[in-house]
Amino acid sequence: MDCIITIDINTSAVKIAAYNLDGKLVAFRKGSFSILYPQADYSEQDPEQVFITVLFVLKDLIREQILGQNHKVLSIVFSAAMHSVLPIDSRGNPLGNAIIWADNRAKKEADMIKKSANGVKIYENTGTPIHAMSPLAKIAWIKTAQPERFKKTSKFISIKEYIIYQFTNQYVIDYSMASATGLFNIKEKKWEQDSLDISGLKTMQFSDHASVFNTDLKIKPGLAKSLQLPKNTKIILGSTDGCLATLGSGVFGEGQATISISHTGAVRVAGQKIIKDNENRFFNYVLDEETYISGGPTNNAGVVLEWFASNFRNHPVIVDFEDAVEDLFKEATLVKSGSNGLLFLPYLLGERAPIWNSNARGCYFGINIKHQPKHFLRATIEGIILEIYSIGKILEKYRKIDKLYLTGKYAALPICAGIIADVFGKKVIVSDEAENVNKGAALLGMIDAGIFKNLEEAAKSIAMKNVFEPVAENNDTYQKLFDIFQRLTYKLSEEFELIEKLQ
């Protein structure tokens, strides 16, 4: 039986899943790798460690599950987290670690670009808010802070491009990933000249760009043999994790939005028009030639839960943070909505939408003598969701949102889904798919195989599992908390900057 393998490379793990042409999951494997924090504001990945993990997990899945079940691999579809930058030399060797989305070292460069004469134009043409997360700002930082590394760089690529190069010996980037760099014109589908002028680079120093459905790449013969794959196995370029999470949750049309809570978080909508926001708060990324995924990201989602689990709970050795956090959620159900008036600002890694402040910092507010560890736990979860609500609330000025669809390991858990419904005051729907990004990638493969005609038809195939209705009393509590949450966030902006200087 034919199957489609999907490879999702996220911030701390690779998830590899195989689906048959009916869309049923037939195999799954996961492997973890480290996030490196060499100093404050720095977040990196070792590209070799990521590739070795991908290769090991893929070989294991093929050997143990694909061949064992007599499946034939029709195609491999790739997905990855956005905003990573990896300088490589002329031989394709990495010049150090990749700088990932959570890295804030380029905040000064981002501020200068944002205030430049072409700042607004760059945002409007590329769809990427100008922030330290942006590869444009990261490259500007390398140029200023590491001139020798900059001179030695032949190309600036992402982790996804590096992995695909290891599979095919070709440098290609999909429109979706390119649209998250701040260097790609999403209207004309080409590298943006104003961004190139700022970075001091030429188009030849970036990968060739192509559709997310591109199948021109060929797997290296030696690698195909090692993986026991047919030589004609298709390599489908694929998209970003955010775009595919939206597709894989069945969101495609008016009145729908998806909320993702995994390592990071986001609120996203799909449409044929970009969101034009005068304050440049929202991204507009390309999914295909006619579809944009728009919304706002938060730095502080699952990473904050993992921080809490590793530092404040009795977990001497955490093999899988997702399992540890799931255990924590059970304890949080013992606390009533609102955490007895304890409020948490979750800005451990600065923040992107909607405040776009790299200096923002975390804060527990309202602590009294009766608060126990379980209150801090629930307040942490609620703080993450209140931050996500702050994105959704502004997004509703531009898009009608009646229903929310949840994606990501944490968002789909009952306590989290219930809190989201209560905070937003809207119906929340959880699909049957445990891995929405991988399922979104599989849908691309199924469109290529002729199973579906287009993205809209593919999205309609997603089955829904559970529905959570908001509780009016809880919504009232959260609205009062959110008012304080928002006031603190903006009132403390000056203090955020002062404390950051001491860190």
Side-chain angles (χ1 to χ4, degrees):
M1 182 181 292
D2 289 339
C3 71
I4 297 166
I5 288 181
T6 63
I7 300 177
D8 174 36
I9 307 158
N10 62 41
T11 306
S12 59
V14 57
K15 295 180 178 180
I16 303 182
Y19 297 82
N20 64 24
L21 297 190
D22 292 327
K24 181 182 178 181
L25 181 70
V26 296
F28 180 80
R29 284 286 190 275
K30 174 184 173 182
S32 299
F33 41 79
S34 301
I35 307 171
L36 308 173
Y37 302 104
Q39 63 188 72
D41 280 336
Y42 283 45
S43 298
E44 301 178 349
Q45 287 175 337
D46 179 345
E48 296 296 340
Q49 184 187 27
V50 175
F51 173 63
I52 290 170
T53 305
V54 170
L55 199 59
F56 176 81
V57 176
L58 180 59
K59 280 188 174 182
D60 187 51
L61 177 134
I62 292 172
R63 183 180 65 251
E64 297 294 331
Q65 294 183 279
I66 300 300
L67 297 179
Q69 299 178 38
N70 294 319
H71 291 298
K72 178 186 175 183
V73 179
L74 187 66
S75 60
I76 299 176
V77 190
F78 285 87
S79 171
M82 295 170 275
H83 311 307
S84 60
V85 169
L86 176 63
I88 58 169
D89 65 19
S90 58
R91 296 182 178 180
N93 298 314
L95 295 170
N97 291 325
I99 305 173
I100 65 172
W101 62 266
D103 196 281
N104 277 319
R105 74 184 77 178
K107 51 193 171 186
K108 290 182 181 179
E109 285 74 15
D111 190 54
M112 286 189 290
I113 296 170
K114 192 172 185 178
K115 293 177 180 177
S116 70
N118 291 326
V120 173
K121 183 182 175 185
I122 288 172
Y123 167 71
E124 291 177 348
N125 286 345
T126 67
T128 303
I130 299 173
H131 179 265
M133 72 165 189
S134 167
L136 171 61
K138 292 182 173 80
I139 292 171
W141 179 88
I142 294 172
K143 181 181 178 182
T144 301
Q146 299 179 339
E148 289 303 314
R149 187 185 188 191
F150 185 84
K151 290 178 183 177
K152 292 178 182 178
T153 300
S154 176
K155 287 184 182 293
F156 288 93
I157 62 175
S158 66
I159 282 287
K160 181 183 177 185
E161 292 161 79
Y162 180 72
I163 300 302
I164 288 177
Y165 176 77
Q166 299 304 316
F167 273 75
T168 67
N169 267 346
Q170 290 182 267
Y171 293 110
V172 185
I173 185 171
D174 61 88
Y175 289 151
S176 185
M177 186 66 73
S179 69
T181 62
L183 292 142
F184 187 75
N185 189 307
I186 61 175
K187 302 170 185 176
E188 300 179 7
K189 305 295 189 300
K190 66 178 185 180
W191 296 112
E192 170 62 31
Q193 189 58 51
D194 287 326
S195 298
L196 294 176
D197 290 343
I198 285 175
S199 65
L201 301 175
K202 298 179 181 179
T203 55
M204 62 183 293
Q205 290 175 281
F206 298 97
S207 298
D208 295 332
H209 45 76
S211 163
V212 297
F213 294 103
N214 182 275
T215 58
D216 293 339
L217 297 172
K218 305 297 180 185
I219 190 169
K220 294 188 293 188
L223 183 59
K225 182 177 180 180
S226 174
L227 292 170
Q228 301 181 67
L229 288 172
K231 293 180 181 179
N232 62 346
T233 301
K234 284 187 177 181
I235 298 293
I236 300 178
L237 202 52
S239 183
T240 65
D241 57 353
C243 288
L244 291 179
T246 305
L247 177 64
S249 62
V251 171
F252 199 95
E254 184 68 24
Q256 304 174 7
T258 180
I259 290 177
S260 175
I261 303 179
S262 51
H263 208 79
T264 60
V267 185
R268 305 182 185 94
V269 294
Q272 294 185 344
K273 295 182 179 180
I274 64 174
I275 290 177
K276 296 182 179 180
D277 178 54
N278 291 333
E279 296 183 44
N280 303 347
R281 290 170 293 189
F282 297 111
F283 58 70
N284 293 284
Y285 298 145
V286 176
L287 178 50
D288 68 4
E289 283 76 358
E290 298 179 349
T291 309
Y292 295 99
I293 302 298
S294 304
T298 170
N299 284 355
N300 301 282
V303 65
V304 176
L305 298 172
E306 294 166 10
W307 164 80
F308 191 94
S310 62
N311 288 287
F312 298 101
R313 310 306 290 171
N314 295 320
H315 290 285
V317 178
I318 297 180
V319 177
D320 191 321
F321 274 112
E322 290 185 355
D323 291 339
V325 170
E326 192 170 344
D327 289 339
L328 284 178
F329 277 21
K330 297 175 183 177
E331 184 181 344
T333 60
L334 303 175
V335 179
K336 291 183 178 180
S337 299
S339 303
N340 193 24
L342 181 61
L343 191 61
F344 176 57
L345 304 185
Y347 310 129
L348 301 190
L349 291 171
E351 191 50 284
R352 290 184 283 176
I355 62 173
W356 296 99
N357 185 350
S358 297
N359 292 324
R361 292 296 182 264
C363 173
Y364 287 98
F365 178 78
I367 305 170
N368 67 39
I369 198 69
K370 292 187 177 181
H371 285 131
Q372 301 171 23
K374 61 183 180 181
H375 293 99
F376 282 85
L377 169 57
R378 178 149 187 139
T380 301
I381 299 169
E382 291 176 338
I384 293 167
I385 294 171
L386 288 171
E387 162 57 17
I388 286 173
Y389 177 64
S390 72
I391 301 170
K393 188 176 177 68
I394 300 174
L395 189 58
E396 282 193 278
K397 294 180 179 180
Y398 301 93
R399 293 286 192 273
K400 181 182 177 183
I401 300 175
D402 298 319
K403 298 177 183 178
L404 298 170
Y405 294 75
L406 304 189
T407 72
K409 174 73 173 181
Y410 304 133
L413 293 174
I415 181 176
C416 213
I419 294 174
I420 292 171
D422 290 343
V423 170
F424 278 80
K426 297 181 186 296
K427 180 184 293 186
V428 163
I429 301 167
V430 180
S431 77
D432 280 331
E433 302 297 333
E435 304 298 339
N436 298 88
V437 178
N438 290 90
K439 185 55 183 281
L443 293 179
L444 294 186
M446 293 171 75
I447 292 171
D448 178 75
I451 306 301
F452 300 115
K453 295 179 181 178
N454 51 41
L455 294 173
E456 184 174 8
E457 185 176 287
K460 289 179 180 178
S461 71
I462 302 298
M464 299 307 157
K465 183 179 181 182
N466 295 313
V467 176
F468 294 81
E469 298 282 357
V471 177
E473 181 182 352
N474 294 343
N475 178 254
D476 183 61
T477 297
Y478 284 128
Q479 288 301 313
K480 292 175 181 176
L481 276 176
F482 178 71
D483 181 59
I484 301 170
F485 178 95
Q486 198 167 36
R487 288 164 63 183
L488 282 173
T489 295
Y490 289 99
K491 280 185 176 182
L492 292 175
S493 59
E494 189 174 324
E495 285 73 17
F496 287 151
E497 185 173 350
L498 292 171
I499 202 68
E500 187 274 337
K501 292 178 181 178
L502 297 177
Q503 296 178 348

